[in-house]
Amino acid sequence: MKIKDFIIIDNNKIETCLLNQNNYISTENMLSNFGGIKPASSIPNGKCTKFDKNMILLSNIRPYFKKMWLSKFCGGCSSDVIAIKVNENICLSNFLYYRLSSEHFFDTYVKGCKGTKMPRGNKDVLLNYDILIPSIAEQQHIVNIGGILNAY
């Protein structure tokens, strides 16, 4: 199944004055190799993309750094971060996060980049990426095993 069949790239906006250094996410405070996030050093004025808990945030600049995070809270992110909302009736957010954390996905995504100095990911590559979607129960089982394995 193509990812576009069960996700939305969310573009809802929020005023940055409603955010703080802990819930504003940009490519600068996302850590490489799926390392999570750190507090933002600054917050721009204006509006940014709103995100909710359990959305996947994917850096769209220099994707070879593998900056991706499954949100644990609500906040706002820069326009260089893709906010992915998953239809949880089809696919669990944390299951999709595990699937997108694969070398295969990032190799595919990086190959579709545009630009050389500051390459940007191609959203069409993301949207048209195929993954096998097992039942919700199987997805939860896989996520639970992954959580156990990642704890050690």
Side-chain angles (χ1 to χ4, degrees):
M1 178 179 280
K2 293 193 184 305
I3 288 178
K4 68 181 174 184
D5 296 331
F6 59 89
I7 70 140
I8 295 170
I9 295 178
D10 206 333
N11 289 313
N12 289 321
K13 300 298 180 191
I14 186 172
E15 293 286 340
T16 56
C17 63
L18 301 173
L19 303 172
N20 59 54
Q21 291 176 310
N22 294 316
N23 66 358
Y24 175 73
I25 309 298
S26 73
T27 59
E28 294 175 8
N29 65 314
M30 295 179 83
L31 303 175
S32 298
N33 296 314
F34 318 109
I37 58 168
K38 64 181 182 179
S41 58
S42 64
I43 303 170
N45 293 322
K47 292 184 178 184
C48 65
T49 302
K50 181 180 183 278
F51 67 85
D52 294 316
K53 184 177 179 180
N54 292 324
M55 288 178 68
I56 298 169
L57 303 183
L58 174 64
S59 173
N60 199 37
I61 293 186
R62 296 186 285 182
Y64 48 81
F65 283 130
K66 300 176 186 170
K67 293 182 176 185
M68 187 171 68
W69 180 64
L70 180 62
S71 63
K72 312 280 187 262
F73 48 78
C74 300
C77 60
S78 76
S79 59
D80 293 326
V81 176
I82 300 171
I84 301 168
K85 184 173 186 168
V86 181
N87 179 340
E88 297 250 343
N89 293 320
I90 298 172
C91 183
L92 300 175
S93 296
N94 46 6
F95 178 78
L96 181 60
Y97 178 84
Y98 282 130
R99 293 300 308 269
L100 294 182
S101 296
S102 71
E103 289 296 322
H104 184 266
F105 170 72
F106 272 90
D107 287 347
T108 302
Y109 195 52
V110 167
K111 286 178 187 171
C113 281
K114 299 173 185 174
T116 52
K117 184 177 180 184
M118 293 282 277
R120 293 185 172 272
N122 183 336
K123 290 179 187 174
D124 287 333
V125 172
L126 167 67
L127 292 170
N128 289 299
Y129 189 73
D130 274 315
I131 66 170
L132 179 63
I133 303 292
S135 71
I136 295 292
E138 289 177 272
Q139 291 177 47
Q140 189 61 58
H141 180 71
I142 292 166
V143 167
N144 290 343
I145 291 171
I148 291 168
L149 294 176
N150 290 335
Y152 295 98

